[in-house]
Amino acid sequence: MFFYALFSNEQLNVFIGESRQNGVLQEIEDIWFGDDESKKTVSFDQLTGENGTIRLAISSDIGDPFVYFKNGGLVGYEIDLIVRFCAEYGYKPNFYEMSFESISPGIES
């Protein structure tokens, strides 16, 4: 994935493992690799931020279906996955969109 964040990698690993087992990961793949454009949306409504905000550097340079702009907002496989992760763990994501080449230097500074 082409995002970097300040949260526990263990939490993300657990979430991905559980999502693989319970079918959520397949659901996400079906949406973003499927042909039904009406399903390609991401809802931020369920994000409470009760456990804090995480900052994520992402790049829309990667493009459809992973990270891209649609109707003025970020969408894609990676955005959907991280929003579902944040909803599960009580985080609120703060996305910083930048060129892929700028991600590592941006995090270091």
Side-chain angles (χ1 to χ4, degrees):
M1 290 179 203
F2 296 97
F3 57 76
Y4 295 85
L6 302 173
F7 57 85
S8 166
N9 284 333
E10 180 65 25
Q11 287 177 326
L12 184 59
N13 289 337
V14 167
F15 176 77
I16 290 172
E18 289 173 352
S19 295
R20 191 173 282 127
Q21 289 178 340
N22 65 21
V24 169
L25 200 58
Q26 185 62 54
E27 177 186 338
I28 295 170
E29 289 175 11
D30 291 346
I31 291 169
W32 298 103
F33 292 96
D35 294 329
D36 188 347
E37 283 298 315
S38 69
K39 292 182 179 180
K40 296 182 180 186
T41 63
V42 178
S43 173
F44 293 82
D45 296 339
Q46 74 278 17
L47 301 173
T48 63
E50 66 210 35
N51 291 321
T53 298
I54 58 173
R55 296 176 293 182
L56 300 108
I58 54 102
S59 176
S60 62
D61 295 349
I62 306 308
D64 181 1
F66 298 101
V67 178
Y68 62 102
F69 284 97
K70 180 178 178 181
N71 300 325
L74 284 167
V75 295
Y77 179 93
E78 292 182 7
I79 303 298
D80 195 355
L81 181 66
I82 201 67
V83 166
R84 291 176 192 231
F85 167 78
C86 287
E88 179 77 22
Y89 285 89
Y91 294 118
K92 185 171 183 170
N94 190 358
F95 293 104
Y96 294 89
E97 202 284 323
M98 56 185 63
S99 70
F100 183 73
E101 295 80 22
S102 300
I103 291 178
S104 287
I107 291 173
E108 290 174 7
S109 67

